[in-house]
Amino acid sequence: STSTSPLEVHLTDADLAEALRADVHAGLTAHPKQLPPKWFYDARGSELFEQITTLPEYYPTRTEREILRQGAPAIAAAATPDVLVELGSGSSEKTRLLLDAMADTLTTYVPQDVSVSALTGAVDALAASHPGLRVRGMVSDFTDTLHHLPAGGRRMIAFLGGTIGNMIPAERAEFLASIAAALRPGETLLLGAGLVVPPAVVVPAYDDAAGVTAEFDRNVLRVVNARLHADFEPDAFRHVALWDAANEWIEMRLEATRAMRVTVADLNLAVDFAEGEQLRTEISAKFRLDGIARELADAGLTLVHTWTDDDHRFAVLLAER
Ligand code: AVJ
C-alpha cells in the first residue's frame, strides 16, 4: 500500500482529561466509591489486558476468537457489509477473521477507539496486510462514532469482546437504542457477549493465579496518579473479584488494606478510605441468550443468528435493524 489512512479525531486529549476529572471526582465522592473501567487502558493497562487475554483462566477472548473463526463465513454471508465499523477495536486482532471472510463485499474498515496509540498500530498493520481496503481509524467515544458513521454502503457495527458487559442495564438499553438509531433498515450489529457460567469458571477468569488481573485492576490508580497528580499507593489495595448472582455480573473492586487518606492534587480533593473499604472498578455482566435477545428487540433490533461455543461460555449475535 502507498499511504496510511489518517485518523479521524473526534476526541482530543483535552476532552479525555476533562472526562477523567469528572469521573474521578464523581466516583471518589460517591458511596460506595467507584471508578469507571474505561480508565484502565493507558499504554500499560492495554498491555496488561493483552496479557490477560492469554491467561489460562481468561476464557472469553479465545472462546470468541474460536466462534469467529468458525462463524465468520456465515456472518459475512448473512450480513454482506460494505463497511465494517468496529467499536473499541483495540488491537483489531480478532477482526482479521471478519475482514478476511468479508473480502468479497467489504470496501471500508472503520476501527474506533479512545486510544490513538492502539489505533495507529492497528491501522498501519491492516493497511499493510489489506492493501485494497480503505481503513479509516476513528478516535472517538462510542456515541460520537455513531454520529460520524460513513454515510455510504451497507454497514455493520461490530462490538466484540464482551465489553457490553461493562454497562449496567440502563446504559445498555440506551447504547443499543443509539445503535439502532444509527443503522438503516437491513444494516447490522455484530455483538460479542459473555454468557452466564458457573462462578467456579467465571471468578478465576477475573482473579487469575498469576495476579495479572490484580495488576490491571490497580493500574487505574496509577492512571489517576499520573494524570491528576494523586497519591494512591496501589500496593495498599487488594484486588477483589466477586460474582453478583442477583445481577449476574462480575464485580471487580480494590480493597484498602488499611485506613488512609488519598489526595488528588489536580482536583483539590482529599479522600479517606477506611480499612477494608472497597472501591468498585468494573462490572462485567454475563448474559442469557433469551435475555439478550429481549434487550436487542427492546432496542428495535431483530436477532438474525446466534453463534456460541460448545460450552456455552460466550456468544456472538448478529442483529438487524
Ligand atoms: C475488555 C471489558 C471485555 O470485562 O472481561 C478483563 C475487561 N477486566 N479482565 C472483561 C477485563 C478484567 C474485559 N472487557
Side-chain angles (χ1 to χ4, degrees):
S1 73
T2 48
S3 70
T4 299
S5 323
L7 295 181
E8 206 176 294
V9 178
H10 299 289
L11 189 65
T12 63
D13 288 346
D15 295 332
L16 279 173
E18 195 40 53
L20 177 66
R21 292 171 66 91
D23 283 352
V24 171
H25 193 280
L28 293 185
T29 56
H31 307 281
K33 296 180 176 71
Q34 52 176 307
L35 289 172
K38 69 186 269 200
W39 303 112
F40 282 132
Y41 301 92
D42 67 345
R44 180 159 192 248
S46 300
E47 194 185 301
L48 284 165
F49 177 67
E50 291 301 321
Q51 267 186 54
I52 287 174
T53 65
T54 67
L55 292 170
E57 297 97 330
Y58 192 77
Y59 58 87
T61 306
R62 75 176 65 93
T63 307
E64 184 183 51
R65 188 190 302 118
E66 208 38 56
I67 293 170
L68 288 175
R69 193 187 309 286
Q70 292 189 24
I75 292 167
T80 58
D82 303 303
V83 178
L84 175 63
V85 178
E86 185 178 12
L87 303 180
S89 57
S91 65
S92 296
E93 180 254 312
K94 283 168 293 191
T95 318
R96 290 173 176 279
L97 297 165
L98 289 175
L99 294 178
D100 294 342
M102 292 169 179
D104 284 349
T105 60
L106 204 69
T107 64
T108 309
Y109 173 54
V110 184
Q112 172 275 340
D113 209 283
V114 292
S115 157
V116 175
S117 58
L119 271 182
T120 307
V123 166
D124 289 354
L126 281 165
S129 61
H130 294 69
L133 190 67
R134 251 181 42 221
V135 181
R136 258 180 65 182
M138 218 186 258
V139 181
S140 55
D141 59 35
F142 295 149
T143 354
D144 247 350
T145 308
L146 299 177
H147 291 133
H148 292 101
L149 288 189
R154 194 167 141 85
R155 300 163 309 174
M156 168 187 276
I157 296 177
F159 190 41
L160 300 173
T163 304
I164 183 117
N166 280 174
M167 299 175 199
I168 60 170
E171 291 169 338
R172 292 202 301 265
E174 195 187 320
F175 175 73
L176 291 173
S178 66
I179 286 182
L183 294 175
R184 295 176 296 234
E187 294 184 326
T188 51
L189 166 69
L190 188 68
L191 184 65
L195 298 178
V196 174
V197 297
V201 174
V202 74
V203 172
Y206 292 83
D207 193 8
D208 61 282
V212 183
T213 307
E215 273 315 303
F216 174 75
D217 199 1
R218 284 188 281 264
N219 193 60
V220 74
L221 304 181
R222 295 197 175 86
V223 168
V224 174
N225 282 352
R227 303 225 183 122
L228 298 179
H229 300 99
D231 61 359
F232 276 107
E233 288 176 62
D235 293 339
F237 287 83
R238 186 174 78 85
H239 168 67
V240 175
L242 55 88
W243 173 244
D244 180 331
N247 287 309
E248 298 192 318
W249 65 46
I250 278 281
E251 209 162 301
M252 297 211 314
R253 300 173 179 178
L254 289 169
E255 182 178 301
T257 55
R258 52 180 167 76
M260 64 186 109
R261 166 164 292 190
V262 174
T263 61
V264 188
D266 290 8
L267 296 178
N268 243 316
L269 182 69
V271 183
D272 289 320
F273 283 84
E275 181 179 344
E277 186 176 349
Q278 295 181 336
L279 163 70
R280 186 173 87 180
T281 52
E282 182 174 55
I283 65 158
S284 192
K286 305 305 169 196
F287 298 87
R288 296 177 186 272
L289 290 177
D290 56 347
I292 197 153
R294 196 175 326 113
E295 289 187 43
L296 289 166
D298 287 348
L301 295 163
T302 307
L303 187 57
V304 176
H305 198 91
T306 304
W307 291 265
T308 62
D309 58 302
D310 292 342
D311 296 328
H312 283 85
R313 292 179 171 186
F314 203 93
V316 173
L317 303 103
L318 179 68
E320 191 177 82
R321 163 67 208 285

Short mmCIF file of all heavy atoms in Angstrom, two decimals, residues 206-259:
data_model
loop_
_atom_site.label_atom_id
_atom_site.label_comp_id
_atom_site.label_asym_id
_atom_site.label_seq_id
_atom_site.Cartn_x
_atom_site.Cartn_y
_atom_site.Cartn_z
N TYR A 206 -11.39 -13.61 36.40
CA TYR A 206 -11.19 -12.22 36.84
C TYR A 206 -10.32 -12.14 38.10
O TYR A 206 -10.22 -11.08 38.72
CB TYR A 206 -12.56 -11.54 37.05
CG TYR A 206 -13.26 -11.36 35.72
CD1 TYR A 206 -14.00 -12.40 35.15
CD2 TYR A 206 -13.12 -10.18 35.01
CE1 TYR A 206 -14.60 -12.26 33.91
CE2 TYR A 206 -13.72 -10.02 33.77
CZ TYR A 206 -14.45 -11.07 33.22
OH TYR A 206 -15.03 -10.92 31.98
N ASP A 207 -9.72 -13.26 38.47
CA ASP A 207 -8.82 -13.29 39.63
C ASP A 207 -7.82 -14.42 39.40
O ASP A 207 -7.84 -15.44 40.08
CB ASP A 207 -9.63 -13.51 40.92
CG ASP A 207 -8.79 -13.23 42.16
OD1 ASP A 207 -7.66 -12.73 42.02
OD2 ASP A 207 -9.29 -13.51 43.27
N ASP A 208 -6.94 -14.21 38.43
CA ASP A 208 -6.04 -15.28 37.98
C ASP A 208 -4.93 -15.53 38.98
O ASP A 208 -4.56 -14.64 39.76
CB ASP A 208 -5.45 -14.89 36.61
CG ASP A 208 -4.63 -13.62 36.71
OD1 ASP A 208 -5.23 -12.52 36.74
OD2 ASP A 208 -3.40 -13.71 36.77
N ALA A 209 -4.40 -16.73 38.92
CA ALA A 209 -3.36 -17.16 39.87
C ALA A 209 -2.08 -16.34 39.73
O ALA A 209 -1.40 -16.08 40.73
CB ALA A 209 -3.06 -18.65 39.67
N ALA A 210 -1.76 -15.90 38.53
CA ALA A 210 -0.52 -15.14 38.33
C ALA A 210 -0.64 -13.68 38.78
O ALA A 210 0.36 -12.96 38.84
CB ALA A 210 -0.10 -15.21 36.86
N GLY A 211 -1.85 -13.24 39.05
CA GLY A 211 -2.04 -11.88 39.56
C GLY A 211 -2.01 -10.78 38.49
O GLY A 211 -1.88 -9.60 38.82
N VAL A 212 -2.18 -11.17 37.24
CA VAL A 212 -2.16 -10.15 36.17
C VAL A 212 -3.40 -9.26 36.26
O VAL A 212 -3.32 -8.04 36.12
CB VAL A 212 -2.08 -10.82 34.77
CG1 VAL A 212 -2.00 -9.76 33.68
CG2 VAL A 212 -0.87 -11.74 34.70
N THR A 213 -4.56 -9.87 36.53
CA THR A 213 -5.79 -9.08 36.63
C THR A 213 -5.72 -8.13 37.82
O THR A 213 -6.20 -7.00 37.75
CB THR A 213 -7.02 -10.00 36.74
OG1 THR A 213 -6.99 -10.94 35.66
CG2 THR A 213 -8.32 -9.21 36.68
N ALA A 214 -5.07 -8.57 38.91
CA ALA A 214 -4.90 -7.69 40.06
C ALA A 214 -4.07 -6.46 39.68
O ALA A 214 -4.40 -5.33 40.05
CB ALA A 214 -4.23 -8.45 41.21
N GLU A 215 -3.01 -6.66 38.91
CA GLU A 215 -2.19 -5.54 38.45
C GLU A 215 -2.97 -4.62 37.52
O GLU A 215 -2.85 -3.39 37.57
CB GLU A 215 -0.93 -6.04 37.74
CG GLU A 215 0.24 -6.32 38.66
CD GLU A 215 0.44 -5.21 39.70
OE1 GLU A 215 0.63 -4.04 39.30
OE2 GLU A 215 0.39 -5.52 40.90
N PHE A 216 -3.77 -5.25 36.64
CA PHE A 216 -4.63 -4.50 35.72
C PHE A 216 -5.60 -3.64 36.53
O PHE A 216 -5.79 -2.44 36.25
CB PHE A 216 -5.38 -5.50 34.84
CG PHE A 216 -6.42 -4.92 33.93
CD1 PHE A 216 -6.07 -4.22 32.78
CD2 PHE A 216 -7.78 -5.10 34.21
CE1 PHE A 216 -7.05 -3.71 31.94
CE2 PHE A 216 -8.75 -4.59 33.36
CZ PHE A 216 -8.39 -3.90 32.22
N ASP A 217 -6.20 -4.22 37.56
CA ASP A 217 -7.16 -3.52 38.41
C ASP A 217 -6.47 -2.32 39.07
O ASP A 217 -6.95 -1.18 39.00
CB ASP A 217 -7.71 -4.51 39.44
CG ASP A 217 -9.02 -4.03 40.07
OD1 ASP A 217 -9.50 -2.95 39.69
OD2 ASP A 217 -9.55 -4.75 40.94
N ARG A 218 -5.33 -2.57 39.69
CA ARG A 218 -4.60 -1.48 40.37
C ARG A 218 -4.09 -0.42 39.40
O ARG A 218 -3.78 0.70 39.81
CB ARG A 218 -3.43 -2.06 41.18
CG ARG A 218 -3.86 -2.75 42.47
CD ARG A 218 -2.66 -3.12 43.33
NE ARG A 218 -2.02 -4.33 42.84
CZ ARG A 218 -2.27 -5.56 43.34
NH1 ARG A 218 -3.12 -5.71 44.34
NH2 ARG A 218 -1.65 -6.60 42.84
N ASN A 219 -4.02 -0.77 38.10
CA ASN A 219 -3.48 0.20 37.14
C ASN A 219 -4.33 1.47 37.07
O ASN A 219 -3.82 2.54 36.78
CB ASN A 219 -3.35 -0.43 35.75
CG ASN A 219 -2.52 0.44 34.82
OD1 ASN A 219 -1.35 0.70 35.10
ND2 ASN A 219 -3.13 0.93 33.74
N VAL A 220 -5.63 1.33 37.36
CA VAL A 220 -6.47 2.54 37.30
C VAL A 220 -5.99 3.57 38.33
O VAL A 220 -6.07 4.77 38.08
CB VAL A 220 -7.97 2.17 37.49
CG1 VAL A 220 -8.30 1.83 38.93
CG2 VAL A 220 -8.86 3.32 36.98
N LEU A 221 -5.44 3.08 39.45
CA LEU A 221 -4.91 4.01 40.45
C LEU A 221 -3.66 4.71 39.91
O LEU A 221 -3.44 5.89 40.16
CB LEU A 221 -4.59 3.26 41.75
CG LEU A 221 -5.76 2.47 42.37
CD1 LEU A 221 -5.31 1.79 43.66
CD2 LEU A 221 -6.95 3.40 42.63
N ARG A 222 -2.86 3.97 39.17
CA ARG A 222 -1.65 4.57 38.58
C ARG A 222 -2.02 5.62 37.55
O ARG A 222 -1.36 6.64 37.42
CB ARG A 222 -0.77 3.48 37.94
CG ARG A 222 -0.22 2.50 38.96
CD ARG A 222 0.96 1.69 38.42
NE ARG A 222 1.49 0.89 39.50
CZ ARG A 222 1.03 -0.32 39.81
NH1 ARG A 222 0.06 -0.87 39.09
NH2 ARG A 222 1.54 -0.99 40.83
N VAL A 223 -3.09 5.34 36.79
CA VAL A 223 -3.55 6.31 35.79
C VAL A 223 -3.99 7.60 36.48
O VAL A 223 -3.62 8.70 36.06
CB VAL A 223 -4.69 5.70 34.94
CG1 VAL A 223 -5.38 6.77 34.09
CG2 VAL A 223 -4.15 4.58 34.05
N VAL A 224 -4.75 7.46 37.56
CA VAL A 224 -5.21 8.64 38.29
C VAL A 224 -4.02 9.38 38.91
O VAL A 224 -3.95 10.61 38.87
CB VAL A 224 -6.27 8.26 39.36
CG1 VAL A 224 -6.64 9.46 40.22
CG2 VAL A 224 -7.51 7.67 38.68
N ASN A 225 -3.07 8.63 39.44
CA ASN A 225 -1.86 9.27 39.98
C ASN A 225 -1.15 10.10 38.91
O ASN A 225 -0.79 11.25 39.13
CB ASN A 225 -0.88 8.21 40.51
CG ASN A 225 -1.28 7.67 41.88
OD1 ASN A 225 -2.21 8.20 42.50
ND2 ASN A 225 -0.60 6.63 42.32
N ALA A 226 -0.94 9.48 37.74
CA ALA A 226 -0.14 10.13 36.71
C ALA A 226 -0.87 11.33 36.11
O ALA A 226 -0.28 12.38 35.89
CB ALA A 226 0.21 9.13 35.61
N ARG A 227 -2.17 11.18 35.87
CA ARG A 227 -2.87 12.23 35.11
C ARG A 227 -3.42 13.33 36.01
O ARG A 227 -3.61 14.45 35.56
CB ARG A 227 -4.01 11.62 34.30
CG ARG A 227 -3.53 10.54 33.36
CD ARG A 227 -4.14 10.66 31.97
NE ARG A 227 -3.69 9.55 31.15
CZ ARG A 227 -4.50 8.69 30.56
NH1 ARG A 227 -5.81 8.85 30.65
NH2 ARG A 227 -4.00 7.69 29.86
N LEU A 228 -3.72 12.99 37.26
CA LEU A 228 -4.35 14.01 38.13
C LEU A 228 -3.50 14.30 39.37
O LEU A 228 -3.99 14.90 40.32
CB LEU A 228 -5.76 13.56 38.53
CG LEU A 228 -6.77 13.37 37.38
CD1 LEU A 228 -8.12 12.91 37.90
CD2 LEU A 228 -6.93 14.65 36.57
N HIS A 229 -2.24 13.84 39.33
CA HIS A 229 -1.33 14.09 40.45
C HIS A 229 -1.93 13.63 41.78
O HIS A 229 -1.96 14.39 42.75
CB HIS A 229 -0.88 15.56 40.50
CG HIS A 229 -0.16 15.96 39.25
ND1 HIS A 229 -0.76 16.64 38.23
CD2 HIS A 229 1.10 15.72 38.86
CE1 HIS A 229 0.11 16.81 37.24
NE2 HIS A 229 1.25 16.26 37.60
N ALA A 230 -2.43 12.41 41.78
CA ALA A 230 -2.93 11.82 43.02
C ALA A 230 -1.82 11.00 43.67
O ALA A 230 -0.78 10.76 43.05
CB ALA A 230 -4.14 10.92 42.72
N ASP A 231 -2.05 10.60 44.93
CA ASP A 231 -1.00 9.84 45.63
C ASP A 231 -1.51 8.49 46.14
O ASP A 231 -1.17 8.06 47.24
CB ASP A 231 -0.39 10.68 46.74
CG ASP A 231 -1.41 11.07 47.80
OD1 ASP A 231 -2.61 10.71 47.66
OD2 ASP A 231 -1.02 11.72 48.79
N PHE A 232 -2.33 7.82 45.32
CA PHE A 232 -2.72 6.45 45.65
C PHE A 232 -1.47 5.59 45.80
O PHE A 232 -0.53 5.72 45.01
CB PHE A 232 -3.56 5.84 44.51
CG PHE A 232 -5.01 6.16 44.55
CD1 PHE A 232 -5.57 7.04 43.63
CD2 PHE A 232 -5.85 5.56 45.48
CE1 PHE A 232 -6.92 7.33 43.64
CE2 PHE A 232 -7.22 5.84 45.50
CZ PHE A 232 -7.75 6.73 44.59
N GLU A 233 -1.47 4.70 46.80
CA GLU A 233 -0.43 3.68 46.89
C GLU A 233 -1.05 2.38 46.39
O GLU A 233 -1.73 1.68 47.14
CB GLU A 233 0.00 3.49 48.35
CG GLU A 233 0.82 4.63 48.90
CD GLU A 233 1.12 4.40 50.36
OE1 GLU A 233 1.81 3.40 50.69
OE2 GLU A 233 0.64 5.20 51.18
N PRO A 234 -0.83 2.04 45.13
CA PRO A 234 -1.50 0.87 44.55
C PRO A 234 -1.30 -0.40 45.38
O PRO A 234 -2.22 -1.21 45.51
CB PRO A 234 -0.87 0.75 43.16
CG PRO A 234 -0.45 2.15 42.84
CD PRO A 234 -0.02 2.76 44.13
N ASP A 235 -0.10 -0.55 45.96
CA ASP A 235 0.18 -1.78 46.70
C ASP A 235 -0.58 -1.86 48.02
O ASP A 235 -0.61 -2.92 48.65
CB ASP A 235 1.68 -1.92 46.95
CG ASP A 235 2.43 -2.16 45.65
OD1 ASP A 235 1.78 -2.59 44.67
OD2 ASP A 235 3.65 -1.90 45.60
N ALA A 236 -1.20 -0.77 48.43
CA ALA A 236 -2.01 -0.80 49.65
C ALA A 236 -3.44 -1.25 49.36
O ALA A 236 -4.30 -1.23 50.24
CB ALA A 236 -2.00 0.57 50.32
N PHE A 237 -3.70 -1.62 48.09
CA PHE A 237 -5.05 -2.09 47.71
C PHE A 237 -4.99 -3.54 47.23
O PHE A 237 -4.10 -3.91 46.47
CB PHE A 237 -5.64 -1.19 46.61
CG PHE A 237 -6.05 0.16 47.11
CD1 PHE A 237 -5.12 1.18 47.24
CD2 PHE A 237 -7.38 0.40 47.48
CE1 PHE A 237 -5.50 2.43 47.72
CE2 PHE A 237 -7.76 1.64 47.96
CZ PHE A 237 -6.82 2.66 48.09
N ARG A 238 -5.97 -4.30 47.68
CA ARG A 238 -6.08 -5.72 47.35
C ARG A 238 -7.15 -5.87 46.27
O ARG A 238 -8.23 -5.28 46.37
CB ARG A 238 -6.50 -6.46 48.62
CG ARG A 238 -6.54 -7.96 48.54
CD ARG A 238 -6.83 -8.55 49.94
NE ARG A 238 -8.24 -8.46 50.31
CZ ARG A 238 -9.16 -9.36 49.98
NH1 ARG A 238 -8.83 -10.42 49.27
NH2 ARG A 238 -10.42 -9.19 50.35
N HIS A 239 -6.84 -6.66 45.24
CA HIS A 239 -7.81 -6.93 44.17
C HIS A 239 -8.87 -7.92 44.64
O HIS A 239 -8.54 -8.95 45.22
CB HIS A 239 -7.06 -7.50 42.96
CG HIS A 239 -7.94 -8.07 41.90
ND1 HIS A 239 -8.80 -7.30 41.15
CD2 HIS A 239 -8.13 -9.35 41.47
CE1 HIS A 239 -9.46 -8.09 40.29
NE2 HIS A 239 -9.07 -9.34 40.47
N VAL A 240 -10.13 -7.59 44.39
CA VAL A 240 -11.25 -8.48 44.75
C VAL A 240 -12.10 -8.69 43.50
O VAL A 240 -12.42 -7.71 42.80
CB VAL A 240 -12.12 -7.83 45.85
CG1 VAL A 240 -13.35 -8.70 46.15
CG2 VAL A 240 -11.32 -7.60 47.12
N ALA A 241 -12.45 -9.95 43.20
CA ALA A 241 -13.39 -10.24 42.12
C ALA A 241 -14.52 -11.05 42.72
O ALA A 241 -14.26 -12.08 43.35
CB ALA A 241 -12.71 -11.02 41.00
N LEU A 242 -15.75 -10.58 42.60
CA LEU A 242 -16.84 -11.40 43.13
C LEU A 242 -17.99 -11.49 42.16
O LEU A 242 -18.24 -10.59 41.36
CB LEU A 242 -17.29 -10.88 44.50
CG LEU A 242 -17.71 -9.44 44.67
CD1 LEU A 242 -19.19 -9.32 44.38
CD2 LEU A 242 -17.42 -9.03 46.10
N TRP A 243 -18.66 -12.63 42.22
CA TRP A 243 -19.80 -12.89 41.35
C TRP A 243 -21.05 -12.40 42.04
O TRP A 243 -21.37 -12.85 43.15
CB TRP A 243 -19.90 -14.38 41.04
CG TRP A 243 -21.14 -14.77 40.28
CD1 TRP A 243 -22.15 -15.58 40.71
CD2 TRP A 243 -21.49 -14.38 38.94
NE1 TRP A 243 -23.11 -15.71 39.73
CE2 TRP A 243 -22.72 -14.98 38.63
CE3 TRP A 243 -20.87 -13.57 37.97
CZ2 TRP A 243 -23.36 -14.81 37.40
CZ3 TRP A 243 -21.50 -13.39 36.75
CH2 TRP A 243 -22.74 -14.01 36.47
N ASP A 244 -21.74 -11.44 41.45
CA ASP A 244 -23.01 -10.94 41.96
C ASP A 244 -24.11 -11.77 41.30
O ASP A 244 -24.46 -11.55 40.13
CB ASP A 244 -23.13 -9.45 41.61
CG ASP A 244 -24.43 -8.83 42.12
OD1 ASP A 244 -25.45 -9.56 42.22
OD2 ASP A 244 -24.43 -7.62 42.40
N ALA A 245 -24.64 -12.75 42.05
CA ALA A 245 -25.58 -13.70 41.46
C ALA A 245 -26.90 -13.05 41.10
O ALA A 245 -27.57 -13.47 40.15
CB ALA A 245 -25.79 -14.87 42.43
N ALA A 246 -27.31 -12.03 41.85
CA ALA A 246 -28.60 -11.37 41.57
C ALA A 246 -28.52 -10.60 40.25
O ALA A 246 -29.42 -10.66 39.42
CB ALA A 246 -28.97 -10.45 42.72
N ASN A 247 -27.42 -9.87 40.05
CA ASN A 247 -27.27 -9.08 38.82
C ASN A 247 -26.61 -9.86 37.69
O ASN A 247 -26.56 -9.37 36.56
CB ASN A 247 -26.45 -7.82 39.13
CG ASN A 247 -27.23 -6.80 39.92
OD1 ASN A 247 -28.35 -6.44 39.55
ND2 ASN A 247 -26.66 -6.36 41.03
N GLU A 248 -26.10 -11.03 38.01
CA GLU A 248 -25.37 -11.85 37.04
C GLU A 248 -24.23 -11.05 36.40
O GLU A 248 -24.11 -10.97 35.18
CB GLU A 248 -26.33 -12.47 36.01
CG GLU A 248 -27.31 -13.40 36.72
CD GLU A 248 -28.14 -14.30 35.80
OE1 GLU A 248 -28.60 -13.80 34.77
OE2 GLU A 248 -28.31 -15.50 36.15
N TRP A 249 -23.43 -10.43 37.28
CA TRP A 249 -22.22 -9.80 36.78
C TRP A 249 -21.06 -10.02 37.74
O TRP A 249 -21.25 -10.29 38.93
CB TRP A 249 -22.42 -8.32 36.48
CG TRP A 249 -22.73 -7.36 37.60
CD1 TRP A 249 -22.11 -7.28 38.82
CD2 TRP A 249 -23.71 -6.30 37.58
NE1 TRP A 249 -22.64 -6.24 39.54
CE2 TRP A 249 -23.62 -5.62 38.81
CE3 TRP A 249 -24.63 -5.85 36.62
CZ2 TRP A 249 -24.43 -4.53 39.12
CZ3 TRP A 249 -25.42 -4.76 36.94
CH2 TRP A 249 -25.33 -4.11 38.18
N ILE A 250 -19.85 -9.95 37.19
CA ILE A 250 -18.63 -9.97 37.97
C ILE A 250 -18.38 -8.54 38.41
O ILE A 250 -18.55 -7.61 37.62
CB ILE A 250 -17.44 -10.46 37.11
CG1 ILE A 250 -17.41 -11.97 37.04
CG2 ILE A 250 -16.10 -9.94 37.63
CD1 ILE A 250 -16.82 -12.64 38.28
N GLU A 251 -17.99 -8.37 39.63
CA GLU A 251 -17.64 -7.04 40.09
C GLU A 251 -16.18 -7.06 40.52
O GLU A 251 -15.77 -7.93 41.29
CB GLU A 251 -18.56 -6.64 41.25
CG GLU A 251 -18.77 -5.17 41.31
CD GLU A 251 -19.98 -4.75 42.15
OE1 GLU A 251 -21.12 -5.17 41.83
OE2 GLU A 251 -19.76 -4.02 43.11
N MET A 252 -15.39 -6.15 40.00
CA MET A 252 -14.01 -6.02 40.44
C MET A 252 -13.93 -4.82 41.38
O MET A 252 -14.53 -3.77 41.12
CB MET A 252 -13.05 -5.79 39.26
CG MET A 252 -13.02 -6.94 38.29
SD MET A 252 -11.41 -7.18 37.46
CE MET A 252 -10.96 -5.53 36.96
N ARG A 253 -13.21 -5.02 42.46
CA ARG A 253 -13.06 -3.96 43.46
C ARG A 253 -11.62 -3.90 43.94
O ARG A 253 -10.90 -4.90 43.89
CB ARG A 253 -13.97 -4.24 44.66
CG ARG A 253 -15.44 -4.32 44.30
CD ARG A 253 -16.22 -4.76 45.49
NE ARG A 253 -17.65 -4.83 45.22
CZ ARG A 253 -18.54 -5.23 46.12
NH1 ARG A 253 -18.15 -5.61 47.33
NH2 ARG A 253 -19.83 -5.27 45.82
N LEU A 254 -11.24 -2.76 44.44
CA LEU A 254 -9.94 -2.60 45.10
C LEU A 254 -10.22 -2.30 46.56
O LEU A 254 -10.95 -1.35 46.88
CB LEU A 254 -9.15 -1.46 44.45
CG LEU A 254 -8.63 -1.78 43.04
CD1 LEU A 254 -8.10 -0.52 42.36
CD2 LEU A 254 -7.55 -2.86 43.09
N GLU A 255 -9.67 -3.14 47.44
CA GLU A 255 -9.95 -3.02 48.87
C GLU A 255 -8.75 -2.41 49.60
O GLU A 255 -7.62 -2.91 49.50
CB GLU A 255 -10.26 -4.41 49.44
CG GLU A 255 -10.60 -4.38 50.92
CD GLU A 255 -10.94 -5.76 51.44
OE1 GLU A 255 -11.90 -6.38 50.93
OE2 GLU A 255 -10.22 -6.22 52.36
N ALA A 256 -9.01 -1.35 50.33
CA ALA A 256 -7.95 -0.69 51.11
C ALA A 256 -7.52 -1.64 52.23
O ALA A 256 -8.34 -2.08 53.02
CB ALA A 256 -8.45 0.63 51.68
N THR A 257 -6.21 -1.93 52.30
CA THR A 257 -5.74 -2.88 53.32
C THR A 257 -5.49 -2.18 54.65
O THR A 257 -5.18 -2.82 55.65
CB THR A 257 -4.44 -3.57 52.86
OG1 THR A 257 -3.47 -2.57 52.52
CG2 THR A 257 -4.72 -4.45 51.65
N ARG A 258 -5.59 -0.84 54.67
CA ARG A 258 -5.51 -0.09 55.92
C ARG A 258 -6.21 1.25 55.71
O ARG A 258 -6.47 1.65 54.58
CB ARG A 258 -4.05 0.13 56.33
CG ARG A 258 -3.20 0.71 55.23
CD ARG A 258 -1.75 0.91 55.69
NE ARG A 258 -0.88 1.17 54.58
CZ ARG A 258 -0.80 2.32 53.93
NH1 ARG A 258 -1.58 3.33 54.29
NH2 ARG A 258 0.03 2.48 52.92
N ALA A 259 -6.50 1.93 56.80
CA ALA A 259 -7.10 3.26 56.68
C ALA A 259 -6.08 4.20 56.07
O ALA A 259 -4.89 4.11 56.38
CB ALA A 259 -7.53 3.76 58.06
#
